[in-house]
């Protein structure tokens, strides 16, 4: 008797941030979880570059009545707008009834993911094989990217001003490409190397062909590959100089686990937060303060460049929007930014029973326990992190609890085990309230990352609650 009572108490006393989301769903919600996950699986299967993400989300936005901010003259409350930055970053707005000066409710995430970028002089031939040089993008364990089917996505920009979109290796009829690994039989020296040296960056060369072009003496295989590319895309070798081609894992994302409770797919960092943030904004109508979703590029290499979060693009778009609302001043733009609240989303490291030593169990995230919030990220004593204000966290807890959203407060692993950065600190410099939020993953930055379908659902609902309540 005492025992069972103790058990019940223990179960009910489970801390709010350690509840398993699967246990709260009714049959209808379970269907919603699956439907949203299938939509997400399609999104990350079709959108493997920042450009593809922007194109898809803009297409969805247009269907919902969003207009290009650059083309509208006047804006009023209730209007839905989008602004694209160089095809690789995006801001979506649902204009609120309150003046912009009152601040915005901002959902932010990044749509670039680790991958191998094809170099500007890529093609060469060695021993009758044609290969392409790559330079990896973002933090990767290089040994994970060999001996696996890869696709090439991107654009080739020609001198005549036309941009050719490239996708090779996704259609089941398409060939794939890849990087070879050394056979175990001859790997005695390789197997003694440190993991960081087993496969080195300069050796990530993609094998793309082995048939020589007839009647050619020099580099006949390379010439044959060039001919194939020219036939399919009407470009020549020099056009690689002005190309942005990304080598990514080929094939679709899919359900994972015998109970199909999870998703395995490429680029979930951070398209899982981008997808759910955009979805939540699409479900937001007539907000009091303007609701925003910003999806940026270059997070994986420090948020630099014109399309990264450190660019003034977003600030400029806020100024444009205010101008078109007929209420522009420099001071009001500053107030609009300062009075804003933001969920800066990025993925978190879910506890993995295979690697328990890097986690502190009370303060890490878990698959299936809902959205993950980090008061801070960073490394070596929080260095480089935004440290969210507890007053804002308390407001958020109230908003999430009101809608029974499950969430967890989580640090990325143990103290001094490593760490990571996000875009949160960049937006915090406007003096707005920002917290790191997101979804927990296994296999982060590996070619195939793993998420929980329950967390995708909780995140989307959580973002909606934020847009309603903050
Ligand atoms: Mn990320
Ligand atoms: Mn990352």
């Amino acid at each position: 008797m005492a025992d069972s009572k103790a058990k019940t108490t223990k179960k009910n006393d489970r801390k709010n941030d350690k509840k398993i989301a699967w246990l709260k769903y009714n049959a209808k919600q379970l269907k919603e979880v699956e439907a949203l996950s299938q939509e997400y699986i399609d999104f990350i299967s079709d959108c493997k570059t920042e450009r593809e993400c922007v194109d898809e989300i803009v297409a969805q936005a247009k269907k919902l009545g969003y207009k290009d901010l650059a083309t509208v003259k006047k804006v009023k409350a209730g209007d839905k707008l989008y602004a694209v930055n160089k095809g690789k970053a995006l801001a979506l707005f649902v204009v609120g009834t309150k003046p912009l000066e009152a601040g915005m409710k901002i959902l932010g995430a990044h749509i670039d993911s680790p991958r191998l970028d094809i170099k500007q002089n890529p093609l060469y031939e060695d021993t009758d094989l044609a290969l392409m040089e790559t330079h990896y993008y973002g933090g990767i364990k290089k040994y994970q990217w060999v001996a696996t089917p890869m696709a090439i996505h991107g654009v080739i920009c020609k001198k005549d001003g036309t941009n050719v979109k490239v996708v090779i290796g996704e259609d089941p009829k398409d060939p794939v490409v890849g990087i070879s690994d050394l056979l175990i039989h001859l790997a005695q020296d390789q197997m003694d190397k440190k993991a960081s040296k087993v496969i080195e960056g300069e050796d990530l060369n993609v094998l793309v062909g082995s048939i020589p072009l007839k009647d050619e003496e020099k580099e006949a295989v390379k010439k044959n590959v060039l001919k194939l590319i020219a036939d399919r895309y009407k470009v020549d070798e020099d056009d690689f100089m002005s190309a942005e081609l990304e080598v990514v894992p080929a094939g679709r994302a899919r359900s994972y686990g015998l109970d199909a409770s999870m998703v395995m797919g490429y680029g979930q960092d951070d398209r899982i937060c981008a997808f759910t943030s955009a979805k939540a904004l699409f479900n937001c109508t007539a907000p009091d303060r303007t609701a925003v979703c910003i999806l940026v590029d270059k997070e994986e290499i420090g948020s630099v460049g014109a399309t990264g979060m450190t660019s003034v693009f977003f600030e400029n778009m806020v100024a444009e929007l205010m101008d078109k609302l007929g209420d522009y001043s420099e001071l009001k733009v500053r107030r609009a930014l300062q009075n804003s609240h933001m969920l800066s989303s990025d993925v978190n490291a879910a506890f993995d029973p295979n690697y328990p030593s890097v986690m502190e169990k009370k303060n890490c995230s878990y698959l299936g326990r809902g959205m993950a919030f980090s008061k801070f990220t960073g490394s070596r004593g929080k260095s480089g992190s935004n440290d969210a204000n507890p007053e804002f966290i308390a407001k958020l807890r109230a908003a999430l609890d009101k809608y029974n959203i499950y969430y967890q407060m989580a640090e990325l692993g143990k103290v001094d085990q490593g760490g990571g950065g996000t875009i949160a600190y960049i937006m915090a410099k406007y003096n707005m309230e920002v917290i790191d939020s997101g979804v927990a993953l296994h296999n982060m930055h590996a070619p195939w990352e793993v998420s929980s379908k329950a967390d995708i659902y909780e995140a989307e609902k959580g973002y909606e609650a934020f847009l309603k309540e903050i």
Side-chain angles (χ1 to χ4, degrees):
M1 192 76 177
D3 254 13
S4 88
K5 196 184 170 200
K7 254 185 195 164
T8 318
T9 313
K10 199 177 168 196
K11 196 176 172 193
N12 291 345
D13 278 355
R14 191 161 200 170
K15 265 188 67 189
N16 194 42
D17 69 351
K18 299 296 178 205
K19 288 179 184 170
I20 299 164
W22 289 107
L23 296 176
K24 77 167 168 171
Y25 300 138
N26 59 30
K28 181 175 164 276
Q29 286 171 313
L30 282 171
K31 273 191 185 152
E32 288 173 11
V33 170
E34 187 56 27
L36 183 69
S37 300
Q38 289 304 326
E39 207 181 310
Y40 170 64
I41 284 173
D42 286 343
F43 176 76
I44 56 168
S45 299
D46 296 338
C47 304
K48 294 191 180 179
T49 68
E50 42 288 309
R51 288 171 192 270
E52 288 167 353
C53 290
V54 166
D55 289 351
E56 172 59 25
I57 291 168
V58 167
Q60 289 182 16
K62 280 182 177 171
K63 275 188 201 153
L64 295 166
Y66 281 72
K67 300 248 158 41
D68 187 348
L69 178 61
T71 64
V72 296
K73 291 215 168 64
K74 278 206 176 326
V75 172
K76 58 178 188 320
D79 283 359
K80 296 183 284 188
L81 302 150
Y82 68 86
V84 174
N85 187 12
K86 297 171 174 60
K88 295 191 275 189
L90 173 71
L92 299 154
F93 300 89
V94 182
V95 180
T97 47
K98 289 188 178 174
L100 210 50
E101 219 185 324
M104 297 163 282
K105 302 185 264 199
I106 306 170
L107 299 173
H110 70 90
I111 47 178
D112 59 314
S113 296
R115 67 202 182 226
L116 311 175
D117 285 337
I118 289 179
K119 289 189 187 181
Q120 265 39 68
N121 297 302
L123 253 183
Y124 67 98
E125 181 168 334
D126 191 337
T127 58
D128 304 323
L129 298 173
L131 296 105
M132 282 186 177
E133 299 271 4
T134 68
H135 193 147
Y136 66 99
Y137 173 96
I140 60 167
K141 289 176 164 179
K142 290 155 207 133
Y143 64 80
Q144 293 177 331
W145 295 69
V146 297
T148 188
M150 305 291 277
I152 302 174
H153 290 233
V155 290
I156 302 172
C157 302
K158 301 209 292 183
K159 284 196 289 184
D160 65 5
T162 54
N163 287 358
V164 184
K165 278 188 194 174
V166 173
V167 180
I168 306 172
E170 299 294 351
D171 188 312
K173 284 179 238 149
D174 269 359
V176 293
V177 294
I179 297 154
S180 58
D181 196 359
L182 188 58
L183 65 165
I184 185 67
H185 314 69
L186 299 177
Q188 199 165 316
D189 291 348
Q190 188 198 35
M191 296 301 279
D192 287 339
K193 289 182 183 173
K194 297 201 300 184
S196 61
K197 297 280 177 193
V198 166
I199 301 287
E200 302 213 46
E202 203 54 73
D203 299 332
L204 293 169
N205 303 314
V206 181
L207 182 57
V208 295
S210 63
I211 302 177
L213 197 62
K214 272 194 182 144
D215 307 322
E216 286 286 341
E217 282 188 10
K218 276 185 75 185
E219 299 192 315
V221 179
K222 175 184 154 178
K223 279 175 185 155
N224 192 44
V225 168
L226 277 171
K227 186 177 175 300
L228 290 171
I229 295 172
D231 289 348
R232 182 160 171 170
Y233 293 110
K234 312 283 176 266
V235 296
D236 60 39
E237 187 172 8
D238 284 350
D239 291 328
F240 281 116
M241 285 194 279
S242 48
E244 206 161 77
L245 296 170
E246 305 178 9
V247 180
V248 296
R252 295 182 63 76
R254 54 208 300 187
S255 292
Y256 187 70
L258 295 179
D259 57 4
S261 59
M262 296 165 278
V263 173
M264 176 174 256
Y266 165 68
Q268 301 203 62
D269 176 3
D270 182 35
R271 294 175 189 139
I272 196 166
C273 299
F275 170 83
T276 43
S277 292
K279 189 89 188 158
L281 189 82
F282 289 156
N283 289 335
C284 167
T285 47
D288 48 359
R289 285 180 295 135
T290 297
V292 184
C293 175
I294 47 181
L295 302 178
V296 290
D297 180 25
K298 299 282 176 281
E299 193 278 340
E300 295 295 356
I301 57 167
S303 295
V304 290
T307 52
M309 193 70 256
T310 50
S311 154
V312 294
F313 167 72
F314 179 63
E315 196 179 324
N316 286 352
M317 289 309 106
V318 172
E320 291 282 357
L321 179 62
M322 193 178 273
D323 186 47
K324 288 177 180 186
L325 280 159
D327 193 27
Y328 174 80
S329 85
E330 165 68 22
L331 182 60
K332 284 177 182 173
V333 170
R334 289 180 190 219
R335 285 179 184 152
L337 291 161
Q338 168 159 303
N339 292 332
S340 291
H341 292 78
M342 180 181 192
L343 294 186
S344 169
S345 289
D346 206 343
V347 291
N348 206 296
F351 182 84
D352 184 340
N354 278 340
Y355 305 97
S357 68
V358 299
M359 295 293 184
E360 190 264 282
K361 278 189 160 175
K362 278 178 70 63
N363 287 285
C364 64
S365 57
Y366 295 82
L367 290 180
R369 296 189 191 179
M371 300 178 82
F373 289 94
S374 299
K375 187 175 182 299
F376 50 84
T377 58
S379 53
R380 301 174 310 283
K382 307 186 181 183
S383 179
S385 87
N386 169 58
D387 202 340
N389 296 311
E391 291 86 349
F392 177 39
I393 300 176
K395 260 194 216 176
L396 256 180
R397 288 174 55 214
L400 297 166
D401 287 344
K402 184 173 169 184
Y403 293 88
N404 196 27
I405 309 294
Y406 281 14
Y407 59 91
Q408 39 190 337
M409 295 301 296
E411 290 189 23
L412 192 97
K414 265 187 188 168
V415 173
D416 285 343
Q417 191 56 235
T422 66
I423 61 170
Y425 77 96
I426 303 162
M427 294 299 274
K429 77 177 182 179
Y430 292 113
N431 199 23
M432 64 174 72
E433 295 284 3
V434 186
I435 185 167
D436 278 289
S437 64
V439 177
L441 298 184
H442 275 179
N443 295 4
M444 194 195 294
H445 282 211
W448 299 99
E449 300 172 316
V450 172
S451 60
S452 162
K453 290 179 180 176
D455 296 336
I456 297 168
Y457 184 77
E458 292 303 305
E460 197 277 330
K461 293 289 175 208
Y463 294 140
E464 282 188 32
F466 167 82
L467 293 178
K468 279 183 199 141
E469 297 298 317
I470 296 295

